[in-house]
Amino acid sequence: MKPLQYSFIVPVYNRPQEIDELLSSFCYLLGDLDYEIVIIEDGSTNSSKDVVSNYINRLHISYYYKTNSGPGDSRNYGMQKAKGNYYIILDSDVILPENYLIEVNEYLKSSFYHCFGGPDAAHESFTNLQKAINFTMTSFLTTGGIRGGSEKINKFQPRSFNMGLSKEAFKATLGFGKIHPGEDPDLVLRLQKLGYKTTLIPKAFVYHKRRISWTKFYKQVNKFGQVRPILTKWHPDSSKITYWLPSMFTVGLILAICLTFLNNFYFISIYGIYFLLVFILSFVSTKNVIVSLQSVLAILVQFFGYGYGFLKTTVQLILSNTAPEKLFPNLFFK
């Protein structure tokens, strides 16, 4: 097998500051490895072109502007334009640690996979809210497990904020579909049906900044919950009881609160112990009381948002014979 030539694929929409931070981190990457960066401006009104031009003399960059068609289609566009034989897909709101590409290359040299994913972490410069949401999205106490963390490494379902895909696998699958969010697990499930194995590279982490508010976080996890039943409908073999946990947690919490009015405090005390454990683990991880308190709130938002979205979409799919694309047009790009 010839040496891997990497193409970093980065779609961006109205976030030039993020592209500046990401490209700055590229300047500090270690290792003498062959790579290019492909920036795809997805119909932005606040262009990143000037930011990209500041790095032309330091990095091997290609910049493309296209009409808005969503992140999945933009990634496909970037991979079609890329010159490498292995694509690494990043979100614009990530920052690379200096050894990132070395970790990826060493892993794939020793054990090649056509698709990999890497974890995300919180940088010390992040805000308290960013750190709290990062803890919530990655902890084994939450749906971080549903995102792949609790699965075996060779069954990992990569997410497109930090995902690798071979040129061969891209051609075999034609890349990402129109659903969003959910385009990354859909692609991975199609890959696995074709016999391509996926893996987690634990040391190939990125700092995932997530420029997000409480409202945006709720909308994000709610959409995650909405798309999961659609993916299960498309890929019945992917169905898992764990996808129901946020809904069960939310319904259970509501019942526990109601039971307290009947002087039954047993079930609410169980939830209290769980939230105390979340607080303690978050504090051990972040050494910050504010972040730990916000982590408890973030878990409530995450479970309720995901669980409600999951239940709502599941019921609608059961009661309707309409195709998901027509039933949920807000979850699909045309």
Side-chain angles (χ1 to χ4, degrees):
M1 179 179 177
K2 63 180 181 180
L4 293 176
Q5 297 172 312
Y6 297 101
S7 294
F8 285 90
I9 311 297
V10 186
V12 59
Y13 180 71
N14 288 335
R15 292 182 172 182
Q17 178 60 35
E18 289 183 355
I19 290 298
D20 192 18
E21 292 175 341
L22 174 56
L23 292 179
S24 177
S25 70
F26 269 105
C27 294
Y28 298 97
L29 281 187
L30 300 176
D32 185 20
L33 296 167
D34 187 13
Y35 72 89
E36 65 168 340
I37 305 165
V38 182
I39 306 292
I40 309 96
E41 193 90 62
D42 187 26
S44 300
T45 54
N46 188 8
S47 173
S48 300
K49 187 174 183 179
D50 289 342
V51 171
V52 172
S53 65
N54 292 333
Y55 291 89
I56 290 295
N57 294 328
R58 287 182 281 173
L59 299 168
H60 182 191
I61 309 177
S62 300
Y63 172 88
Y64 299 94
Y65 183 94
K66 53 179 279 299
T67 56
N68 180 255
S69 58
D73 187 63
S74 296
R75 296 177 192 121
N76 293 342
Y77 183 93
M79 287 185 281
Q80 290 167 356
K81 297 292 185 179
K83 300 177 178 63
N85 57 20
Y86 206 99
Y87 311 127
I88 299 178
I89 301 158
L90 302 174
D91 277 356
S92 62
D93 61 351
V94 305
I95 299 171
L96 297 180
E98 61 183 14
N99 64 332
Y100 176 84
L101 193 52
I102 291 177
E103 297 293 351
V104 169
N105 193 64
E106 289 301 314
Y107 190 100
L108 294 179
K109 275 173 47 180
S110 62
S111 184
F112 182 80
Y113 282 81
H114 284 278
C115 181
F116 78 83
D120 52 344
H123 193 271
E124 59 182 11
S125 66
F126 288 6
T127 66
N128 287 341
L129 178 57
Q130 288 169 332
K131 291 176 181 177
I133 290 176
N134 181 80
F135 174 83
T136 303
M137 294 291 283
T138 58
S139 174
F140 71 92
L141 290 174
T142 69
T143 51
I146 292 176
R147 297 172 76 235
S150 65
E151 300 179 48
K152 293 181 180 179
I153 285 181
N154 61 359
K155 291 291 185 180
F156 187 74
Q157 290 190 10
R159 295 295 185 265
S160 51
F161 66 84
N162 181 14
M163 178 183 188
L165 187 69
S166 71
K167 185 175 183 178
E168 176 186 326
F170 170 63
K171 288 184 175 180
T173 58
L174 301 180
F176 294 93
K178 296 294 185 180
I179 192 170
H180 178 73
E183 68 274 19
D184 20 21
D186 172 57
L187 172 58
V188 171
L189 290 167
R190 287 188 284 115
L191 278 169
Q192 292 173 348
K193 285 181 180 179
L194 292 172
Y196 291 99
K197 294 182 179 180
T198 61
T199 189
L200 167 69
I201 303 181
K203 293 183 179 181
F205 70 91
V206 298
Y207 297 114
H208 198 179
K209 197 157 192 176
R210 291 193 181 94
R211 296 184 185 275
I212 203 164
S213 65
W214 286 114
T215 302
K216 290 180 180 178
F217 180 52
Y218 174 81
K219 290 180 179 179
Q220 181 187 61
V221 294
N222 182 255
K223 281 192 171 184
F224 287 160
Q226 290 181 58
V227 300
R228 179 51 66 179
I230 298 173
L231 296 175
T232 300
K233 182 180 178 67
W234 290 348
H235 310 282
D237 292 344
S238 69
S239 178
K240 295 179 182 179
I241 189 63
T242 51
Y243 298 145
W244 287 87
L245 292 181
S247 302
M248 295 165 62
F249 179 96
T250 301
V251 172
L253 179 58
I254 293 172
L255 290 175
I257 293 172
C258 292
L259 285 172
T260 61
F261 292 101
L262 300 175
N263 293 322
N264 185 331
F265 301 98
Y266 175 77
F267 293 101
I268 199 66
S269 65
I270 294 175
Y271 278 92
I273 293 171
Y274 171 77
F275 290 127
L276 178 60
L277 182 60
V278 168
F279 176 87
I280 292 172
L281 290 182
S282 178
F283 183 77
V284 169
S285 173
T286 66
K287 306 296 188 299
N288 188 313
V289 173
I290 301 300
V291 172
S292 302
L293 290 172
Q294 288 183 326
S295 295
V296 174
L297 179 57
I299 282 179
L300 282 169
V301 173
Q302 183 184 32
F303 276 128
F304 180 80
Y306 186 103
Y308 175 66
F310 182 88
L311 281 179
K312 181 181 177 182
T313 304
T314 298
V315 171
Q316 288 179 278
L317 287 173
I318 291 173
L319 297 179
S320 176
N321 291 323
T322 307
E325 292 85 346
K326 293 183 178 180
L327 193 59
F328 310 102
N330 62 310
L331 298 176
F332 292 87
F333 278 92
K334 295 181 180 180

mmCIF file of all heavy atoms in Angstrom, residues 61-80:
data_model
loop_
_atom_site.group_PDB
_atom_site.id
_atom_site.type_symbol
_atom_site.label_atom_id
_atom_site.label_comp_id
_atom_site.label_asym_id
_atom_site.label_seq_id
_atom_site.Cartn_x
_atom_site.Cartn_y
_atom_site.Cartn_z
ATOM 1 N N ILE A 61 -3.360 24.937 1.206
ATOM 2 C CA ILE A 61 -4.801 25.113 1.341
ATOM 3 C C ILE A 61 -5.463 25.310 -0.016
ATOM 4 O O ILE A 61 -4.941 26.019 -0.886
ATOM 5 C CB ILE A 61 -5.148 26.335 2.218
ATOM 6 C CG1 ILE A 61 -4.400 26.297 3.543
ATOM 7 C CG2 ILE A 61 -6.650 26.415 2.478
ATOM 8 C CD1 ILE A 61 -4.660 27.511 4.414
ATOM 9 N N SER A 62 -6.648 24.705 -0.155
ATOM 10 C CA SER A 62 -7.538 24.996 -1.279
ATOM 11 C C SER A 62 -8.833 25.555 -0.708
ATOM 12 O O SER A 62 -9.321 25.084 0.327
ATOM 13 C CB SER A 62 -7.835 23.735 -2.092
ATOM 14 O OG SER A 62 -6.652 23.179 -2.615
ATOM 15 N N TYR A 63 -9.374 26.575 -1.353
ATOM 16 C CA TYR A 63 -10.589 27.223 -0.875
ATOM 17 C C TYR A 63 -11.650 27.185 -1.975
ATOM 18 O O TYR A 63 -11.372 27.536 -3.132
ATOM 19 C CB TYR A 63 -10.296 28.665 -0.468
ATOM 20 C CG TYR A 63 -11.519 29.488 -0.128
ATOM 21 C CD1 TYR A 63 -12.031 29.506 1.167
ATOM 22 C CD2 TYR A 63 -12.164 30.251 -1.104
ATOM 23 C CE1 TYR A 63 -13.159 30.262 1.483
ATOM 24 C CE2 TYR A 63 -13.285 31.011 -0.807
ATOM 25 C CZ TYR A 63 -13.780 31.006 0.494
ATOM 26 O OH TYR A 63 -14.899 31.738 0.795
ATOM 27 N N TYR A 64 -12.856 26.747 -1.608
ATOM 28 C CA TYR A 64 -13.957 26.686 -2.574
ATOM 29 C C TYR A 64 -15.204 27.318 -1.964
ATOM 30 O O TYR A 64 -15.509 27.105 -0.789
ATOM 31 C CB TYR A 64 -14.269 25.235 -2.955
ATOM 32 C CG TYR A 64 -13.127 24.504 -3.610
ATOM 33 C CD1 TYR A 64 -12.257 23.721 -2.855
ATOM 34 C CD2 TYR A 64 -12.901 24.601 -4.984
ATOM 35 C CE1 TYR A 64 -11.197 23.043 -3.452
ATOM 36 C CE2 TYR A 64 -11.844 23.935 -5.591
ATOM 37 C CZ TYR A 64 -11.000 23.162 -4.818
ATOM 38 O OH TYR A 64 -9.962 22.493 -5.400
ATOM 39 N N TYR A 65 -15.907 28.066 -2.776
ATOM 40 C CA TYR A 65 -17.193 28.638 -2.358
ATOM 41 C C TYR A 65 -18.297 27.981 -3.169
ATOM 42 O O TYR A 65 -18.177 27.798 -4.384
ATOM 43 C CB TYR A 65 -17.205 30.152 -2.593
ATOM 44 C CG TYR A 65 -18.496 30.812 -2.117
ATOM 45 C CD1 TYR A 65 -18.582 31.357 -0.842
ATOM 46 C CD2 TYR A 65 -19.617 30.865 -2.942
ATOM 47 C CE1 TYR A 65 -19.755 31.947 -0.391
ATOM 48 C CE2 TYR A 65 -20.801 31.442 -2.504
ATOM 49 C CZ TYR A 65 -20.867 31.979 -1.226
ATOM 50 O OH TYR A 65 -22.040 32.545 -0.780
ATOM 51 N N LYS A 66 -19.384 27.604 -2.514
ATOM 52 C CA LYS A 66 -20.535 26.989 -3.181
ATOM 53 C C LYS A 66 -21.808 27.477 -2.531
ATOM 54 O O LYS A 66 -21.788 28.036 -1.428
ATOM 55 C CB LYS A 66 -20.456 25.452 -3.088
ATOM 56 C CG LYS A 66 -20.266 24.943 -1.666
ATOM 57 C CD LYS A 66 -20.227 23.428 -1.607
ATOM 58 C CE LYS A 66 -21.601 22.823 -1.632
ATOM 59 N NZ LYS A 66 -22.428 23.258 -0.460
ATOM 60 N N THR A 67 -22.923 27.286 -3.197
ATOM 61 C CA THR A 67 -24.212 27.646 -2.617
ATOM 62 C C THR A 67 -24.520 26.715 -1.440
ATOM 63 O O THR A 67 -24.056 25.574 -1.397
ATOM 64 C CB THR A 67 -25.340 27.539 -3.658
ATOM 65 O OG1 THR A 67 -25.351 26.211 -4.208
ATOM 66 C CG2 THR A 67 -25.128 28.538 -4.778
ATOM 67 N N ASN A 68 -25.301 27.204 -0.515
ATOM 68 C CA ASN A 68 -25.595 26.457 0.715
ATOM 69 C C ASN A 68 -26.377 25.183 0.410
ATOM 70 O O ASN A 68 -27.434 25.216 -0.215
ATOM 71 C CB ASN A 68 -26.381 27.341 1.679
ATOM 72 C CG ASN A 68 -26.707 26.624 2.976
ATOM 73 O OD1 ASN A 68 -27.842 26.226 3.200
ATOM 74 N ND2 ASN A 68 -25.709 26.444 3.819
ATOM 75 N N SER A 69 -25.829 24.054 0.847
ATOM 76 C CA SER A 69 -26.507 22.764 0.663
ATOM 77 C C SER A 69 -26.292 21.843 1.857
ATOM 78 O O SER A 69 -26.560 20.650 1.777
ATOM 79 C CB SER A 69 -26.021 22.076 -0.624
ATOM 80 O OG SER A 69 -24.619 21.878 -0.590
ATOM 81 N N GLY A 70 -25.760 22.389 2.960
ATOM 82 C CA GLY A 70 -25.603 21.590 4.169
ATOM 83 C C GLY A 70 -24.211 21.002 4.317
ATOM 84 O O GLY A 70 -23.451 20.880 3.352
ATOM 85 N N PRO A 71 -23.857 20.608 5.551
ATOM 86 C CA PRO A 71 -22.504 20.110 5.826
ATOM 87 C C PRO A 71 -22.178 18.793 5.132
ATOM 88 O O PRO A 71 -21.047 18.590 4.693
ATOM 89 C CB PRO A 71 -22.491 19.952 7.353
ATOM 90 C CG PRO A 71 -23.929 19.862 7.745
ATOM 91 C CD PRO A 71 -24.674 20.704 6.771
ATOM 92 N N GLY A 72 -23.142 17.884 5.028
ATOM 93 C CA GLY A 72 -22.872 16.592 4.393
ATOM 94 C C GLY A 72 -22.494 16.755 2.930
ATOM 95 O O GLY A 72 -21.483 16.211 2.461
ATOM 96 N N ASP A 73 -23.302 17.503 2.204
ATOM 97 C CA ASP A 73 -23.021 17.736 0.787
ATOM 98 C C ASP A 73 -21.723 18.516 0.605
ATOM 99 O O ASP A 73 -20.977 18.282 -0.350
ATOM 100 C CB ASP A 73 -24.192 18.498 0.157
ATOM 101 C CG ASP A 73 -24.046 18.627 -1.345
ATOM 102 O OD1 ASP A 73 -24.040 17.602 -2.045
ATOM 103 O OD2 ASP A 73 -23.924 19.770 -1.832
ATOM 104 N N SER A 74 -21.434 19.438 1.527
ATOM 105 C CA SER A 74 -20.195 20.211 1.440
ATOM 106 C C SER A 74 -18.976 19.321 1.657
ATOM 107 O O SER A 74 -17.939 19.499 1.012
ATOM 108 C CB SER A 74 -20.216 21.347 2.473
ATOM 109 O OG SER A 74 -21.244 22.266 2.185
ATOM 110 N N ARG A 75 -19.080 18.367 2.567
ATOM 111 C CA ARG A 75 -17.980 17.416 2.769
ATOM 112 C C ARG A 75 -17.768 16.580 1.508
ATOM 113 O O ARG A 75 -16.632 16.331 1.089
ATOM 114 C CB ARG A 75 -18.266 16.519 3.972
ATOM 115 C CG ARG A 75 -18.338 17.267 5.282
ATOM 116 C CD ARG A 75 -18.706 16.339 6.429
ATOM 117 N NE ARG A 75 -19.058 17.106 7.630
ATOM 118 C CZ ARG A 75 -20.212 17.043 8.255
ATOM 119 N NH1 ARG A 75 -21.161 16.208 7.832
ATOM 120 N NH2 ARG A 75 -20.450 17.782 9.312
ATOM 121 N N ASN A 76 -18.863 16.123 0.901
ATOM 122 C CA ASN A 76 -18.749 15.363 -0.338
ATOM 123 C C ASN A 76 -18.066 16.200 -1.421
ATOM 124 O O ASN A 76 -17.193 15.707 -2.154
ATOM 125 C CB ASN A 76 -20.139 14.939 -0.835
ATOM 126 C CG ASN A 76 -20.814 13.937 0.088
ATOM 127 O OD1 ASN A 76 -20.158 13.293 0.906
ATOM 128 N ND2 ASN A 76 -22.109 13.793 -0.041
ATOM 129 N N TYR A 77 -18.457 17.454 -1.521
ATOM 130 C CA TYR A 77 -17.859 18.375 -2.499
ATOM 131 C C TYR A 77 -16.360 18.500 -2.253
ATOM 132 O O TYR A 77 -15.554 18.451 -3.189
ATOM 133 C CB TYR A 77 -18.551 19.728 -2.376
ATOM 134 C CG TYR A 77 -18.089 20.772 -3.367
ATOM 135 C CD1 TYR A 77 -18.749 20.936 -4.585
ATOM 136 C CD2 TYR A 77 -17.008 21.616 -3.078
ATOM 137 C CE1 TYR A 77 -18.341 21.912 -5.483
ATOM 138 C CE2 TYR A 77 -16.600 22.586 -3.977
ATOM 139 C CZ TYR A 77 -17.268 22.728 -5.177
ATOM 140 O OH TYR A 77 -16.860 23.685 -6.076
ATOM 141 N N GLY A 78 -15.988 18.645 -0.993
ATOM 142 C CA GLY A 78 -14.578 18.765 -0.653
ATOM 143 C C GLY A 78 -13.781 17.521 -0.985
ATOM 144 O O GLY A 78 -12.649 17.603 -1.482
ATOM 145 N N MET A 79 -14.357 16.345 -0.714
ATOM 146 C CA MET A 79 -13.659 15.093 -1.014
ATOM 147 C C MET A 79 -13.511 14.886 -2.520
ATOM 148 O O MET A 79 -12.521 14.311 -2.982
ATOM 149 C CB MET A 79 -14.384 13.917 -0.352
ATOM 150 C CG MET A 79 -14.197 13.879 1.151
ATOM 151 S SD MET A 79 -14.904 12.418 1.983
ATOM 152 C CE MET A 79 -16.643 12.877 2.060
ATOM 153 N N GLN A 80 -14.488 15.372 -3.297
ATOM 154 C CA GLN A 80 -14.377 15.284 -4.752
ATOM 155 C C GLN A 80 -13.244 16.174 -5.280
ATOM 156 O O GLN A 80 -12.589 15.844 -6.273
ATOM 157 C CB GLN A 80 -15.708 15.702 -5.396
ATOM 158 C CG GLN A 80 -16.836 14.700 -5.176
ATOM 159 C CD GLN A 80 -18.197 15.276 -5.530
ATOM 160 O OE1 GLN A 80 -18.329 16.455 -5.885
ATOM 161 N NE2 GLN A 80 -19.229 14.460 -5.424
#
